Amino acid sequence: MCGIVGYIGKQDVTEILLGGLEKLEYRGYDSAGIALFNEEGVHVYKDKGRIADLCKIVDFEVKATLGIGHTRWATHGGPGKTNSHPHQSSSGRFTIVHNGVIENEGMLREKYLKDYPFKSETDTEVIVALIEHFANENKADIDNVIRHVMELLHGSYALGILDANEPGVLYAAKNKSPMLIGLGDDFNMIGSDAMAMLQCTNQFLETEDGEFIRLTREGVTIYGMTGYVVEREPFTATLDASDIEKGIYPHYMLKEIDEQPSVIRRIVQEYIVNDEIVIEQDILDAVKESDRIYIIAAGTSMHAGYVGKQLFEQMAGIPTEVHISSEFVYSTPVVSKKPFFVFISQSGETADSRAVLVKIKKLNYRSLTITNAPGSTLSREADFTLLLHAGPEIAVASTKAYTAQIAVQALLAAKVSNEPGIDLARELAIVANAIEILTNKKELFDRVTKELLTHRNCFYIGRHMDYYVALEAALKLKEISYIQAEGFAAGELKHGTIALIEKGTPVIAIISQESINLNTRSNIKEVKARGAKACVISMKSISSSTDDIVIDDVHPLLTPLVTVVPTQLIAYYAALHRGFDIDKPRNLAKSVTVE
Ligand code: F6R
């Protein structure tokens, strides 16, 4: 939710900010803006729309070596120009970009800013107004002014701040929202993630909640909550700039779907050494000592968690519950005596999941985060982390992270199992090959989608593991093609929802397990009898000659890894045929850092 970038150095800042913002666009793309600070003052360019639109209004003749930029996912106020960042204080002295949400903005307006001439509806303008308000009282020390304002703010923020009286300083502050510092020779940067700064550096410093940072061209000083100077070692990002390029692909989503076999193979390489699954002993002990696993996640990650539940229960015999993170915070169930919490999150930044983590930490429960983002908030704050090794996922619709999340859960479940279990190195290799065969059949999916998805709605049905994949398949279709899709337990359809089936309604059935094959096929007959246009995705060993998409067999517990792939491609082609922006669907953002 929103991306920020800032630079202070020697080079012209405009291209650096715009390049960084392009990489952050996955975090929101309602509006974008930059502020350039040179000897003439601070120049702000901002408007509704994408970075490409911003480029049309920026004056590239204006040269500056200090600046901040923002790409927005609207929370407070619509996506128009006035609500776009950067925001300036009424005198123009302070300019700010903000990622996060200020929960007590109403109270702050009321208490300190009654007569302030607000221009926007944003909570961000409250921050910049407060800075100006206190700077007018305490003219000498802007560091203290910003720190004081930080103390007053309740909520989440990553801030980049310019002070027109300080042409050699970029100020930053962080609480709950992600922010990294990028280090270079003769320059320093801030950014919501490393990708925004990779064009300039691969040396980074992490920041912690409550920290205030002063960046100059020559150095960076981080101050902790009570004003002490924090010493922290930089780290080198292993990301390569080419990892975040589309290459020959028209869309990141298609690239990421195609990357799934190599992601599965990489996971095997990372976690299996000499035929042994290698996972930190402390994690294994924590899982084994628990009497119940609680999987906490949102969206696609939650759907991967449903599959994980089956894996932990069937492979390791550990009772497992899956919870929507945004619900768990408020309607917390009675947990078992020795719970173990597993947070699944591609980004590691999802605010709903973090709220649960904060809550269960207070209760001294132990936790593991399964994430694609090392150093992310959920990773840092949980007791343990298992990485997905999926590489950056840029398309807003998650694909390779989902399959990676299932593969990593399978490895953990197999390792904590007391049974000899399945040979995951072999079985995951079979999975990778089966996915590769599917991704080589793009014309099939293109054609099936064209013929099938002619309506504004669609059903995915399945039982057991296939039901969980149906949920994910429907989400994928909804989020990028805007077709109203529902994932349904095939047996439940006749208990009400079948009333929605009419002539031509597309119903896609997933059949991966012998045990449910005949039952799901009966459900397909029921919907067909009511006029539905059916499409069947099945595994080879249980397929019928009339099935539309047949997948090479894999281990029955691992079928979601392959059955999801046709549904990802169907969603992709549905969006493509409708001419929508596949990588950046409307109203969404990749990293959901607001509750
Ligand atoms: C959908 C999608 C979302 C995310 C959800 C949680 O394609 O990506 O449903 O799964 O917002 O995000 P993470 O996994 O980053 O916690």
Side-chain angles (χ1 to χ4, degrees):
M1 303 272 131
C2 301
I4 66 164
V5 63
Y7 173 95
I8 181 161
K10 270 183 164 173
Q11 288 185 50
D12 181 35
V13 78
T14 310
E15 294 287 354
I16 293 173
L17 296 179
L18 292 172
L21 289 180
E22 258 173 26
K23 301 292 183 243
L24 291 173
E25 230 180 1
Y26 74 92
R27 302 179 67 87
Y29 30 85
D30 288 331
S31 67
I34 55 173
L36 312 175
F37 190 177
N38 64 13
E39 53 289 343
E40 291 155 17
V42 178
H43 308 254
V44 173
Y45 305 91
K46 61 180 188 176
D47 210 345
K48 188 178 167 149
R50 307 277 168 98
I51 311 303
D53 303 309
L54 176 65
C55 289
K56 292 181 197 146
I57 57 165
V58 167
D59 182 352
F60 286 88
E61 297 300 313
V62 172
K63 299 294 172 204
T65 54
L66 167 58
I68 49 180
H70 188 271
T71 179
R72 177 168 187 249
W73 189 83
T75 55
H76 292 60
K81 179 173 178 175
T82 332
N83 290 327
S84 307
H85 301 219
H87 289 280
Q88 290 195 289
S89 60
S90 58
S91 72
R93 176 173 168 191
F94 296 101
T95 309
I96 189 172
V97 287
H98 168 215
N99 166 30
V101 171
I102 303 306
E103 289 152 12
N104 59 340
E105 53 122 6
M107 183 280 279
L108 294 169
R109 277 174 201 259
E110 200 47 38
K111 185 161 179 192
Y112 300 103
L113 305 165
K114 269 209 169 111
D115 301 320
Y116 187 86
F118 283 103
K119 292 193 213 93
S120 76
E121 299 157 80
T122 63
D123 49 346
T124 305
E125 205 183 353
V126 172
I127 307 175
V128 77
L130 281 174
I131 294 173
E132 180 153 284
H133 173 81
F134 290 108
N136 288 341
E137 284 181 3
N138 176 2
K139 295 195 170 42
D141 190 347
I142 290 311
D143 290 25
N144 278 337
V145 165
I146 298 175
R147 271 200 231 126
H148 178 57
V149 170
M150 287 170 70
E151 279 164 18
L152 297 176
L153 301 176
H154 291 178
S156 54
Y157 52 83
L159 301 173
I161 306 162
L162 302 178
D163 174 1
N165 294 352
E166 290 271 14
V169 188
L170 167 59
Y171 296 99
K174 124 120 193 162
N175 194 49
K176 294 189 192 168
S177 297
M179 187 167 70
L180 279 179
I181 297 167
L183 304 172
D185 289 335
D186 266 341
F187 72 88
N188 290 299
M189 300 183 75
I190 54 167
S192 297
D193 69 21
M195 291 192 290
M197 299 179 272
L198 266 187
Q199 50 175 335
C200 300
T201 183
N202 65 355
Q203 291 296 305
F204 298 101
L205 277 177
E206 281 176 356
T207 59
E208 305 259 330
D209 286 351
E211 286 179 348
F212 164 73
I213 304 114
R214 207 172 188 278
L215 298 96
T216 61
R217 209 178 80 188
E218 297 82 17
V220 172
T221 316
I222 304 177
Y223 298 92
M225 275 198 218
T226 49
Y228 54 91
V229 173
V230 176
E231 297 295 337
R232 189 167 292 144
E233 282 301 306
F235 69 93
T236 307
T238 48
L239 267 178
D240 195 294
S242 63
D243 288 346
I244 54 177
E245 298 304 333
K246 271 203 296 255
I248 54 162
Y249 285 90
H251 301 99
Y252 280 109
M253 183 179 178
L254 197 60
K255 174 176 181 254
E256 289 159 10
I257 291 172
D258 273 8
E259 280 171 356
Q260 290 176 110
S262 48
V263 170
I264 300 282
R265 290 180 189 125
R266 196 181 313 140
I267 288 172
V268 169
Q269 266 174 18
E270 294 285 341
Y271 283 101
I272 303 184
V273 180
N274 298 331
D275 294 333
E276 272 282 315
I277 299 171
V278 181
I279 291 177
E280 205 183 310
Q281 192 57 43
D282 287 349
I283 300 180
L284 303 176
D285 292 344
V287 178
K288 284 182 184 168
E289 282 160 16
S290 73
D291 60 0
R292 189 169 282 255
I293 294 175
Y294 291 80
I295 295 178
I296 309 290
T300 290
S301 299
M302 180 184 67
H303 297 153
Y306 284 133
V307 178
K309 170 184 162 65
Q310 291 296 321
L311 299 173
F312 287 117
E313 293 192 337
Q314 296 194 30
M315 289 165 90
I318 306 173
T320 304
E321 294 179 18
V322 184
H323 291 270
I324 302 176
S325 43
S326 56
E327 283 297 307
F328 191 96
V329 192
Y330 304 103
S331 44
T332 310
V334 176
V335 297
S336 64
K337 286 206 172 69
K338 291 188 207 152
F340 184 69
F341 283 82
V342 176
F343 291 83
I344 305 180
S345 175
Q346 188 282 131
S347 64
E349 299 293 347
T350 300
D352 291 326
S353 300
R354 190 190 183 219
V356 180
L357 179 55
V358 169
K359 183 166 186 168
I360 63 110
K361 274 177 75 158
K362 284 191 189 137
L363 299 168
N364 287 327
Y365 295 142
R366 309 191 83 193
S367 55
L368 160 74
T369 292
I370 298 180
T371 183
N372 204 24
S376 58
T377 308
L378 287 172
S379 163
R380 285 202 314 269
E381 294 183 357
D383 295 308
F384 311 108
T385 296
L386 287 177
L387 290 177
L388 297 177
H389 299 289
E393 191 181 64
I394 312 246
V396 165
S398 183
T399 52
K400 62 177 178 171
Y402 171 83
T403 38
Q405 285 162 346
I406 295 173
V408 171
Q409 289 179 97
L411 288 159
L412 179 59
K415 188 69 182 174
V416 293
S417 162
N418 293 322
E419 307 295 321
I422 57 178
D423 176 356
L424 273 180
R426 177 175 178 276
E427 298 301 340
L428 287 173
I430 294 172
V431 163
N433 291 343
I435 298 178
E436 215 151 55
I437 292 169
L438 288 169
T439 54
N440 285 334
K441 288 184 183 165
K442 298 215 173 58
E443 315 76 53
L444 167 69
F445 296 107
D446 190 353
R447 180 174 51 73
V448 167
T449 310
K450 208 170 268 155
E451 288 166 7
L452 189 69
L453 296 184
T454 48
H455 281 48
R456 266 229 9 100
N457 61 347
C458 170
F459 285 92
Y460 269 101
I461 61 169
R463 287 165 181 256
H464 186 36
M465 294 285 215
D466 304 333
Y467 167 48
Y468 302 137
V469 177
L471 294 175
E472 171 56 12
L475 175 62
K476 213 75 340 175
L477 190 59
K478 276 184 270 209
E479 67 178 323
I480 60 167
S481 77
Y482 317 142
I483 290 173
Q484 186 145 19
E486 208 169 335
F488 229 82
E492 184 65 9
L493 209 59
K494 58 186 173 297
H495 297 288
T497 308
I498 201 164
L500 291 174
I501 304 291
E502 51 190 37
K503 195 167 175 346
T505 305
V507 177
I508 305 174
I510 303 167
I511 309 178
S512 73
Q513 313 286 318
E514 173 87 68
S515 58
I516 50 80
N517 184 12
L518 297 180
N519 278 341
T520 305
R521 287 190 189 277
S522 300
N523 301 133
I524 299 167
K525 286 200 184 107
E526 288 156 15
V527 293
K528 270 180 147 175
R530 284 151 183 89
K533 208 160 39 164
C535 166
V536 177
I537 300 171
S538 64
M539 304 302 296
K540 203 179 228 161
S541 56
I542 52 171
S543 64
S544 128
S545 58
T546 54
D547 291 353
D548 303 84
I549 296 157
V550 176
I551 305 173
D552 279 19
D553 288 317
V554 301
H555 191 286
L557 282 174
L558 301 178
T559 56
L561 290 169
V562 290
T563 51
V564 78
V565 177
T567 73
Q568 295 168 339
L569 285 162
I570 287 172
Y572 175 82
Y573 283 108
L576 190 71
H577 297 155
R578 283 165 177 71
F580 294 133
D581 187 341
I582 293 178
D583 288 333
K584 297 190 186 91
R586 71 182 176 212
N587 303 340
L588 296 178
K590 181 112 190 116
S591 183
V592 187
T593 52
V594 293
E595 278 181 55

